[in-house]
Structures are given as C-alpha cells and as structure tokens.
Amino acid sequence: MIKSMTGYAVADLQCDWGRLSCEIRSVNSRHLELFVRAPDEIRALEPQVRRLVQARVQRGKVEVNFRVKRESSADTSVNRDALNRYAQLATELSDQFPGLTTEFGRLLALPGVLQVPDLEPQQVETDVLAVTETALAAFIESREREGAALLQAITQRVDGIAAIAAQAREWVPMIREAQRTRLLDRLGEMAASVDPSRLEQELVLALTKLDVDEELDRLDSHVVEARRVLARDEAVGRRLDFLLQEFNREANTLGSKSVDSRTGAAAVELKVLIDQAREQIQNIE
C-alpha cells in the first residue's frame, strides 16, 4: 500500500507509576531521519524505540516525543540536604538579588529536591514499548490514508499519460503520410538535377528522423511499469521518482521530433502531467 511520508499520531497510557504519552510526527525526507526525545526516566529505552520505528518506516524525517507525568506516591519525600544547599546558595546571592522569592511548587521542581521511588525497569520498558506500538500503529494508518489520496492523484496522471500516448499513436500514420507527401513534392522539384536513388535515401533518412514509434512504445512500457509499482505493498517513492525521469525523457524526445501541432501539443501535455505526478511522488515513502 502506498504511504505518504507525512503523518501524525499520539497515544497515552496510564501506568502504575504515572501517565505516559508518545507523539510521532513526520515530514518528507530523502532518507529515514529518526529523532527520539525522551525524559530521563525512559531515555535508556531509546534503542528499543528506534528498532520499533525502523521496522515500520523506511523514509521521512520522523520525530518521536515522549512525555511522562509521575503520579504522587506515599513514598515520595523531600531531600533535605539538597534543599539546604539551595537555601545556602540563596542566602549567598541575596545581596545580588534582593527581594527574590521562589514559589513552593517551583522549589520542589529543583533537581534533587523531590525524591520519588525508583521505577521498576522491566515494567517501565513494557509500558514504553506498548505506548510506542499504539502510537506507531496510528501513525502508519495516518500515512496510509494520505497515501491513498496520493495514489489516486498519481494514477489519474498515469492514465492521462497513457491516453495521450494512445492518441498520438493514432495520429502518427497520418502525420507520416502527410510528411512523406510534402518531402516528395520538395524532392520532385530537384529530381532533374539529383540522382533518383539519392532522392530515395534522403526521403528515408528524413522520415526516420521523424519516427516517434520507439518513444511511444517506451511510454507505454513505462505506464505498465508505473501501474505495477503503484500496486506493490512496499516503499516505492524512489522507484517512481526514477520512472518519472524516464517518462520525461520520452516526452522531450517526442517534442523535439514533432513536425505537427498535434504531437507538439501532446508533448506539452505529457510534460504537464509528468510534472504533476512528480510533485505527488515527492510525498511518497
């Protein structure tokens, strides 16, 4: 299934030791750029979190943010030694900052003042991985929803390219015959002074240079390949980006060989559709 590189999800989990939140967001990137931000209580679990995300995400700049709100506990206590050190420091700086006061809540938030029971590592790991998996599942779903819209838009452009190529193929015999007649008329004026075999060679050479059958055949094969890639259940953004370069090459050649306003306009329309498809593909994982 096609997935967008942009996505967002958040999950919360009420644990015995507090409330845990995991937020995952992503934007476009050529490769996978993964950033994990976590408070001190769970920072040691970053490698496990990374492995979970890397197993499900191939491309994009992905940010995983954790927040922890510890629950109050009867075992919570105040580190009076730390509190006394802050008090001594405040006394020493009182002349420099006269009238400076600190609210009780902020005082307790100072590092080392409030002592809470140590967390049980195994339970913390279980909870962190659980909330990560929940957020990751929702994150993947958001990417898939946007990917479905991108798939529809890209498919419409590919269908448009196929239709233009088919129309151009119908025009080619008529354009070729008209061009042959025009060249014969011009060469006929020179027939008295030029060897007939040379005239035929020049005619064949001129028509060969204007032949676009090969370009149209390659466009058809690229359309088939694009549809096959779009149906694959994996990351296809890079493959499609390369394929659009091939589409563009054939459209340019078709335009350079055009001797008729119809094929010239077709080449322009092809390039418009190709550019529109490329814009959408830049968002695909």
Side-chain angles (χ1 to χ4, degrees):
M1 180 179 292
I2 293 292
K3 298 185 184 71
S4 169
M5 278 194 285
T6 60
Y8 176 83
V10 62
D12 296 300
L13 180 65
Q14 184 63 51
C15 314
D16 294 338
W17 48 275
R19 189 165 188 81
L20 180 61
S21 175
C22 176
E23 177 190 59
I24 307 178
R25 63 175 72 228
S26 69
V27 294
N28 295 357
S29 178
R30 289 179 59 84
H31 309 285
L32 176 60
E33 301 178 66
L34 179 57
F35 303 90
V36 179
R37 297 180 176 87
D40 293 338
E41 297 96 322
I42 61 175
R43 188 165 296 161
L45 297 172
E46 180 177 337
Q48 292 94 313
V49 171
R50 283 183 170 275
R51 284 195 291 270
L52 280 179
V53 176
Q54 290 168 346
R56 303 284 301 278
V57 181
Q58 282 71 54
R59 293 179 69 195
K61 181 179 180 180
V62 183
E63 295 182 6
V64 182
N65 299 309
F66 289 96
R67 288 186 294 274
V68 174
K69 183 179 180 182
R70 295 292 300 274
E71 299 291 349
S72 59
S73 170
D75 296 329
T76 301
S77 61
V78 174
N79 185 338
R80 297 187 180 277
D81 290 337
L83 191 59
N84 289 335
R85 287 195 296 272
Y86 284 119
Q88 181 180 354
L89 183 61
T91 300
E92 294 173 356
L93 298 175
S94 60
D95 292 339
Q96 187 175 355
F97 302 98
L100 181 64
T101 60
T102 302
E103 296 178 0
F104 180 72
R106 294 186 177 182
L107 182 64
L108 293 180
L110 292 173
V113 172
L114 198 62
Q115 292 183 317
V116 294
D118 292 336
L119 300 177
E120 200 285 305
Q122 187 58 49
Q123 184 60 51
V124 171
E125 179 176 350
T126 299
D127 293 337
V128 168
L129 297 184
V131 76
T132 302
E133 289 178 345
T134 301
L136 187 58
F139 172 73
I140 296 299
E141 287 180 2
S142 74
R143 282 185 148 203
E144 289 176 346
R145 285 193 299 271
E146 188 170 338
L150 291 173
L151 174 61
Q152 182 178 10
I154 295 169
T155 300
Q156 289 175 350
R157 272 65 179 185
V158 171
D159 290 346
I161 291 171
I164 291 174
Q167 182 65 74
R169 194 179 292 278
E170 293 180 5
W171 292 331
V172 165
M174 293 180 289
I175 295 172
R176 185 182 292 123
E177 184 59 32
Q179 190 66 15
R180 178 184 179 86
T181 301
R182 189 179 301 114
L183 288 172
L184 284 173
D185 290 342
R186 291 180 180 177
L187 293 174
E189 299 173 359
M190 305 168 57
S193 58
V194 181
D195 179 57
S197 62
R198 178 63 183 275
L199 287 176
E200 184 65 23
Q201 291 175 2
E202 292 296 329
L203 176 61
V204 171
L205 180 61
L207 291 175
T208 300
K209 289 181 178 180
L210 299 176
D211 184 22
V212 295
D213 285 341
E214 186 176 350
E215 285 71 27
L216 293 175
D217 287 343
R218 283 199 291 262
L219 275 175
D220 288 343
S221 67
H222 295 335
V223 166
V224 172
E225 177 64 9
R227 288 170 174 163
R228 187 187 70 83
V229 171
L230 287 168
R232 298 179 68 169
D233 188 17
E234 60 183 70
V236 296
R238 290 194 184 93
R239 187 183 297 273
L240 287 172
D241 190 51
F242 172 77
L243 197 54
L244 261 293
Q245 295 178 37
E246 298 302 310
F247 271 111
N248 198 56
R249 183 176 292 110
E250 306 310 331
N252 285 334
T253 305
L254 182 64
S256 66
K257 287 186 174 183
S258 177
V259 293
D260 185 271
S261 60
R262 290 170 293 180
T263 53
V268 172
E269 288 300 315
L270 282 173
K271 291 180 69 66
V272 170
L273 290 173
I274 291 167
D275 286 342
Q276 291 175 349
R278 179 179 286 112
E279 290 178 3
Q280 303 296 331
I281 287 171
Q282 299 307 310
N283 300 315
I284 289 181
E285 182 179 51

